Amino acid sequence: MALTANSPIIDGVDTGHASWRHLLWARWPSAGPPPYLRSAAHYDDVVAKLVEDGQILDAAMVYWDVRLSAHLPTVEIRISDVPATIEETALFASLVRALVITAVADIDNGRLAVPIDQARLRWECRAAARDGLSSPHFRRTTRKHPVPGTSSIAELLSHIRPTLEESGDYEFTRDGLARVLREGNGAVRQRDALRNGGPENVVELLSRLTLQGCGDGGGNPARATTNRRGQADEKSTPDERELLQVEHVIQRLISRYPSVAPTEIELVVRAIHRRFADVPVHDFVPLLIEKAAGRAIGDRTTGPSDSARSGPDTLMTT
């Protein structure tokens, strides 16, 4: 929800929510996070009870964020808003597939999901719909106090990394997450467009993003990206030598900051690297990246090994 939030405006007015669509959809009595279900039989029993009580007319009216299809042998993941771009749609699909494969492997190995309080799940979904990427969020591991959603994204990537690497999707997913964290999601772009040109500017932005990659109207989908104002940018592609040097920067920073998760360091470096895509001279880019990333990682630390004040909250919001 936080990553794909893309409906902040209604009737030309900012609603104050990153995903107003989620709030509207949540009015259905059968919408929202599903209850903890122990088996397919348990699922069928709960749905039958909803029908019996008149909450829904049939199984097709189960609008949970995750549900079984009423007519296909599939599990539907419905939590997202409508992603703003083709790239963000593919990113969401990559995350979902990796999460499902990881969950199936956990079940096969006897590691069942820990039940989470239904009220807490609903609170988190509403917070994500309201605040987007800045929403407070609880980690997968037990924790009494929420942390920024950006920190949970780093933990999510670490959780599914083995699956992503096995499928060959890790770099795409890592870079996609770094891009959304740096540039903002669809709600950020819509709000920028509203401030800078009113509702007409929002409509023009959405039209352009919808056609991105479609024939002459969208340009080259492999090269086209969008900045925070939704304007198409043509990013230069770093050469292989620069990419190799950036990999060395990541390894050096991982060695320098052993108390920080390698995945978090990698995300910081990738995000900073993208800032240099348009510079005319790339000779000193790896050096500048290393300095900027080092400052970001060490901003709230007294030293490279100080784990008390260094962590994903600092890294992912830089």
Side-chain angles (χ1 to χ4, degrees), residues 6-263:
N6 187 37
S7 51
I9 298 165
I10 187 168
D11 294 334
V13 177
D14 191 334
T15 64
H17 287 73
S19 179
W20 188 247
R21 182 181 288 109
H22 178 82
L23 273 294
L24 295 178
W25 189 252
R27 294 183 297 177
W28 286 97
S30 57
Y36 186 85
L37 301 165
R38 298 181 298 274
S39 64
H42 186 196
Y43 181 97
D44 291 338
D45 288 344
V46 172
V47 173
K49 183 63 175 174
L50 289 172
V51 175
E52 180 183 335
D53 292 345
Q55 298 291 325
I56 59 177
L57 297 178
D58 53 40
M61 287 188 67
V62 173
Y63 297 144
W64 290 329
D65 297 331
V66 181
R67 73 174 187 184
L68 297 179
S69 171
H71 63 283
L72 293 172
T74 59
V75 176
E76 299 177 355
I77 312 296
R78 304 158 54 87
I79 182 62
S80 78
D81 202 332
V82 178
T85 66
I86 295 172
E87 285 184 345
E88 289 171 22
T89 302
L91 172 63
F92 177 70
S94 174
L95 290 169
V96 167
R97 180 169 65 176
L99 276 168
V100 171
I101 294 173
T102 302
V104 170
D106 285 344
I107 293 172
D108 290 342
N109 292 318
R111 296 189 296 269
L112 301 183
V114 177
I116 300 176
D117 181 73
Q118 192 77 359
R120 169 175 154 180
L121 278 175
R122 287 187 176 275
W123 176 84
E124 288 198 36
C125 288
R126 290 186 69 91
R130 183 190 62 215
D131 301 326
L133 292 169
S134 62
S135 66
H137 189 79
F138 287 94
R139 295 184 184 276
R140 285 189 305 113
T141 53
T142 56
R143 177 182 284 258
K144 294 182 179 180
H145 303 292
V147 296
T150 47
S151 300
S152 293
I153 290 173
E155 184 178 347
L156 168 65
L157 185 61
S158 296
H159 176 60
I160 61 177
R161 178 170 183 167
T163 300
L164 290 170
E165 289 181 335
E166 185 175 349
S167 65
D169 294 327
Y170 175 69
E171 290 188 1
F172 168 81
T173 306
R174 175 201 63 204
D175 292 349
L177 289 173
R179 181 171 58 252
V180 174
L181 291 175
R182 185 185 74 252
E183 299 177 359
N185 54 22
V188 170
R189 287 191 286 269
Q190 286 197 44
R191 283 169 166 158
D192 279 351
L194 184 68
R195 283 193 296 268
N196 292 310
E200 296 81 4
N201 198 34
V202 177
V203 173
E204 193 277 332
L205 163 69
L206 296 177
S207 299
R208 185 169 62 247
L209 291 178
T210 300
L211 294 174
Q212 192 176 80
C214 300
D216 294 337
N220 183 351
R223 296 288 301 280
T225 61
T226 57
N227 61 23
R228 288 192 53 156
R229 306 223 181 273
Q231 300 165 333
D233 289 333
E234 288 296 322
K235 302 296 187 184
S236 58
T237 303
D239 60 26
E240 292 183 2
R241 185 177 62 176
E242 181 177 310
L243 292 174
L244 180 61
Q245 290 174 331
V246 171
E247 294 298 327
H248 291 164
V249 167
I250 293 172
Q251 295 307 314
R252 286 196 294 272
L253 290 174
I254 289 174
S255 298
R256 193 182 308 164
Y257 296 94
S259 64
V260 180
T263 302

